Amino acid sequence: MVHMRVPLGMNAIPECPRLGRRDMLRATAAAVVVAAGAAGTPVDAGPVAVTAGARSSVRPGIRAYKLYTGPDHATHVLEGTIDEKDRTDVIAIHFKETPAHSAEDWHVSPELQYVITLSGTLEFTTRDGGTFVVQPGDVVLSEDPVGSGHKWRLTDDQPWRRAYVVLKPGAKDSFVAKSGG
């Protein structure tokens, strides 16, 4: 097991002679999940919120949503899961905390990234009218760097703590859209 301290504000994962950058990122992500569970933050967040037009439930697995820019330059959302067997090339991980009851108006994603919610419950809205609820343990694949964007608001009394995992340009993501969606 790898034990390491990550200073606040750190932008890069240090190289380790025995572990590559990918292994260090995986170890860091695993530590985040373990720490969230130890802190009493639920990792299994229960049933998924219904997305407009959804016809069936999501398969078991890590619940995920994919925000993407459509040909109409509007942000749309897909509901699905993360393929736990798939691996993705990433280049960075960073963390952020936003106070309870916060919101952010329309914006686009700065880069292709996974946003892993550690605490807080949020409602996301897209320009096409899609809404979905993200709870601790959920993953948002944010892939809408252009267009009309999305917005979010915290709906509970918890701060939104999250990890941003930035994908390497051109890397395949591990998102699996639900069937019939």
Side-chain angles (χ1 to χ4, degrees), residues 146-158:
V146 297
S148 59
H150 60 277
K151 65 180 180 178
W152 57 262
R153 67 181 182 90
L154 280 157
T155 62
D156 65 3
D157 293 329
Q158 298 297 313

Side-chain angles (χ1 to χ4, degrees), residues 83-105:
D83 182 349
E84 297 176 40
K85 296 175 188 165
D86 199 12
R87 294 180 179 231
T88 300
D89 290 327
V90 300
I91 57 172
I93 184 169
H94 58 102
F95 302 89
K96 188 168 183 179
E97 180 174 312
T98 303
H101 308 290
S102 295
E104 185 167 349
D105 209 359

Side-chain angles (χ1 to χ4, degrees), residues 61-118:
I62 299 172
R63 184 174 34 207
Y65 299 93
K66 182 176 189 173
L67 292 170
Y68 68 96
T69 304
D72 58 357
H73 280 57
T75 294
H76 302 276
V77 63
L78 291 173
E79 186 176 354
T81 59
I82 295 296
D83 182 349
E84 297 176 40
K85 296 175 188 165
D86 199 12
R87 294 180 179 231
T88 300
D89 290 327
V90 300
I91 57 172
I93 184 169
H94 58 102
F95 302 89
K96 188 168 183 179
E97 180 174 312
T98 303
H101 308 290
S102 295
E104 185 167 349
D105 209 359
W106 299 108
H107 64 284
V108 295
S109 302
E111 53 202 341
L112 178 59
Q113 59 193 0
Y114 292 114
V115 183
I116 304 167
T117 295
L118 305 172

Side-chain angles (χ1 to χ4, degrees), residues 12-33:
I13 302 297
E15 294 299 326
C16 176
R18 292 183 10 213
L19 296 175
R21 183 178 201 83
R22 179 185 287 181
D23 293 324
M24 292 297 289
L25 287 169
R26 283 191 191 114
T28 302
V32 167
V33 172

Side-chain angles (χ1 to χ4, degrees), residues 43 45-49 62-65 115-118 133-140:
V43 175
V48 82
I62 299 172
R63 184 174 34 207
Y65 299 93
V115 183
I116 304 167
T117 295
L118 305 172
V133 175
V134 173
Q135 298 175 337
D138 291 346
V139 176
V140 174

